[in-house]
Amino acid sequence: MLLFSNCKINIGLRITAKRKDGFHDLESVFLPVPWYDALEIIESDQLSLSITGLEIPGDSSSNLCLRAWQMLKQDFPDLPFVQIHLHKTIPTGAGLGGGSSNGAFMLKAVNSKFSLGLTPGQLRAYALGLGSDCPFFIDNIPAVARGRGEMLTPIALNLSGYHLVLANPGIHVATGWAFGQIQPQMPERPIEEIVTLPIDQWKKAGIKNDFEEPVFRNSLIISSVHTAMVEKGADFTAMSGTGSTCFGIFSKDPGLSAIDFPTGTLVKSFVL
């Protein structure tokens, strides 16, 4: 079975409270983006994982695809072993949720291939065990996210025809450091109200990523990626997650390419 797991962007990201369990409450809009990794699973006599494409730092034994299968195996002891192949094109640690998507799509793949009969709600519960934003990729539709990111309310956000440019300068932003820079605060207006406005009014109406200020202050390169999109006339531009990917939404093709950004920046453009 072959699947293509996409990434997402955060339209706005407000940290609203520090929780007793050590996590943070947030408010954001999660939007699926058509940038894909390839995930293949084949029934096998042993569990294995091979990875090609972009490098994934760290120990592969903690990969979310493996963890997803192991989680299901606990509740379905007869689940066969699989050979997993993951081809990465979405950079890791980029604020795009690529790894979370891999884990969620692995759950969906195993459920389908081996007819486990799990409902979307049950798959979301398993996905939350992998990570806070993993449940989003089960339904994979635009949604307002609250709580840790697992409390999802679908919204009718139609950006058809807009041009989306993503630029990742390859700089790792430490998540712990980023959260340490934030003073939680409730937004003045709920984000689901603001996204009903024309896109070029979003920023003025209060959509923001709380991590932008400390990250841009700490990295002139990431800041310059964001600035390049502003100067090209983006209707809306922001950093996704804790970074370092920035994106711009344009009403027409801005003609941006890698030469418009700092050396080494990975640039992807899509028509939504």
XYZ file of all heavy atoms in Angstrom, residues 1-3 39-41 72 79 82 102-116 123 138:
201
model
N 0.847 -1.196 0.000
C 0.000 0.000 0.000
C 0.877 1.238 0.000
O 1.821 1.333 0.776
C -0.930 0.001 1.213
C -1.730 1.283 1.379
S -2.923 1.234 2.731
C -4.239 0.316 1.964
N 0.549 2.173 -0.888
C 1.323 3.404 -1.016
C 0.420 4.595 -0.731
O -0.664 4.719 -1.309
C 1.912 3.518 -2.425
C 2.704 4.781 -2.756
C 3.968 4.866 -1.905
C 3.056 4.808 -4.238
N 0.851 5.479 0.187
C 0.129 6.693 0.515
C 1.070 7.877 0.426
O 2.295 7.724 0.515
C -0.467 6.643 1.929
C -1.555 5.628 2.237
C -0.932 4.333 2.716
C -2.502 6.163 3.306
N 4.782 7.158 1.608
C 4.804 6.139 2.654
C 4.275 4.833 2.074
O 3.141 4.779 1.590
C 3.946 6.584 3.840
C 3.746 5.581 4.981
C 5.078 5.281 5.671
C 2.742 6.124 6.000
N 5.101 3.795 2.106
C 4.697 2.487 1.576
C 4.806 1.445 2.673
O 5.798 1.411 3.420
C 5.581 2.087 0.401
C 5.172 0.774 -0.247
C 6.057 0.394 -1.425
O 7.266 0.713 -1.381
O 5.537 -0.203 -2.388
N 3.793 0.586 2.782
C 3.867 -0.537 3.722
C 3.572 -1.830 2.970
O 2.673 -1.893 2.138
C 2.912 -0.378 4.933
C 1.449 -0.345 4.509
C 3.257 0.857 5.730
C 0.484 -0.453 5.684
N -0.746 0.096 17.534
C -1.858 -0.738 17.073
C -1.626 -2.217 17.418
O -2.577 -2.938 17.740
C -2.042 -0.577 15.567
C -2.557 0.797 15.106
C -2.555 0.892 13.595
C -3.954 1.067 15.656
N -1.922 -8.517 14.391
C -1.507 -7.612 13.327
C -0.181 -8.084 12.723
O 0.792 -8.280 13.451
C -1.342 -6.194 13.886
C -1.028 -5.076 12.888
C -2.188 -4.861 11.930
C -0.707 -3.779 13.624
N 5.200 -5.489 9.182
C 5.237 -4.777 7.905
C 6.640 -4.242 7.635
O 7.401 -3.956 8.557
C 4.234 -3.588 7.860
C 2.796 -4.089 7.815
C 4.454 -2.625 9.019
N 3.254 11.757 8.901
C 3.705 10.388 8.637
C 3.077 9.407 9.622
O 2.598 8.340 9.231
C 5.230 10.296 8.740
C 5.984 11.132 7.712
O 7.134 11.501 7.950
N 5.360 11.447 6.590
N 3.094 9.763 10.910
C 2.534 8.879 11.927
C 1.042 8.666 11.755
O 0.539 7.540 11.851
N 0.305 9.745 11.467
C -1.138 9.644 11.294
C -1.494 8.827 10.061
O -2.413 7.995 10.082
C -1.748 11.041 11.198
N -0.755 9.054 8.970
C -1.031 8.289 7.748
C -0.665 6.822 7.919
O -1.289 5.946 7.307
C -0.302 8.908 6.555
C -1.094 9.966 5.862
C -1.198 11.249 6.390
C -1.763 9.702 4.680
C -1.939 12.241 5.761
C -2.514 10.672 4.037
C -2.610 11.953 4.578
N 0.323 6.545 8.747
C 0.654 5.143 9.040
C -0.519 4.467 9.737
O -0.882 3.325 9.412
C 1.912 5.083 9.909
C 2.385 3.663 10.214
S 2.974 2.802 8.743
C 3.276 1.165 9.439
N -1.126 5.152 10.692
C -2.306 4.599 11.363
C -3.411 4.308 10.351
O -4.038 3.240 10.381
C -2.823 5.578 12.422
C -1.963 5.799 13.659
C -2.534 6.947 14.496
C -1.890 4.531 14.507
N -3.651 5.265 9.451
C -4.709 5.077 8.455
C -4.372 3.942 7.493
O -5.256 3.171 7.085
C -4.943 6.386 7.695
C -5.527 7.493 8.552
C -6.074 8.646 7.744
C -5.025 9.524 7.154
N -5.625 10.742 6.512
N -3.097 3.824 7.122
C -2.683 2.779 6.191
C -2.879 1.386 6.796
O -3.431 0.480 6.152
C -1.225 2.978 5.790
N -2.433 1.213 8.030
C -2.562 -0.096 8.692
C -4.034 -0.431 8.911
O -4.468 -1.574 8.699
C -1.785 -0.099 10.024
C -2.041 -1.389 10.798
C -0.288 0.076 9.774
N -4.813 0.555 9.311
C -6.248 0.332 9.521
C -6.922 -0.142 8.238
O -7.752 -1.060 8.247
C -6.898 1.624 10.007
C -8.364 1.468 10.313
O -8.779 0.546 11.028
N -9.193 2.350 9.762
N -6.561 0.484 7.113
C -7.168 0.124 5.836
C -6.654 -1.211 5.307
O -7.446 -2.086 4.923
C -6.900 1.233 4.809
O -7.390 0.893 3.543
N -5.341 -1.383 5.311
C -4.749 -2.578 4.704
C -5.165 -3.851 5.429
O -5.416 -4.886 4.802
C -3.222 -2.466 4.682
C -2.523 -3.653 4.020
C -1.040 -3.409 3.878
C -0.338 -4.614 3.239
N -0.823 -4.867 1.860
N -5.259 -3.771 6.753
C -5.546 -4.970 7.534
C -6.972 -4.987 8.094
O -7.286 -5.784 8.984
C -4.508 -5.129 8.640
C -3.113 -5.295 8.104
C -2.181 -4.278 8.225
C -2.746 -6.444 7.433
C -0.899 -4.408 7.709
C -1.464 -6.594 6.913
C -0.543 -5.581 7.045
N -7.833 -4.104 7.571
C -9.270 -4.098 7.884
C -9.528 -4.142 9.392
O -10.291 -4.977 9.893
C -9.969 -5.281 7.185
O -9.766 -5.239 5.793
N -8.882 -3.214 10.110
C -9.056 -3.179 11.571
C -10.400 -2.600 11.977
O -10.840 -2.804 13.112
C -7.922 -2.358 12.206
C -6.489 -2.849 11.944
C -5.496 -2.003 12.728
C -6.335 -4.322 12.281
N -9.174 6.526 15.419
C -7.857 6.830 14.850
C -7.300 8.119 15.435
O -6.097 8.221 15.704
C -7.965 6.940 13.333
C -8.126 5.624 12.572
C -8.476 5.899 11.113
C -6.848 4.788 12.652
N -5.767 12.955 10.498
C -6.722 11.873 10.260
C -7.822 12.351 9.317
O -8.093 11.730 8.289
C -7.320 11.355 11.580
C -6.201 10.804 12.499
C -8.378 10.285 11.311
C -5.423 9.651 11.921
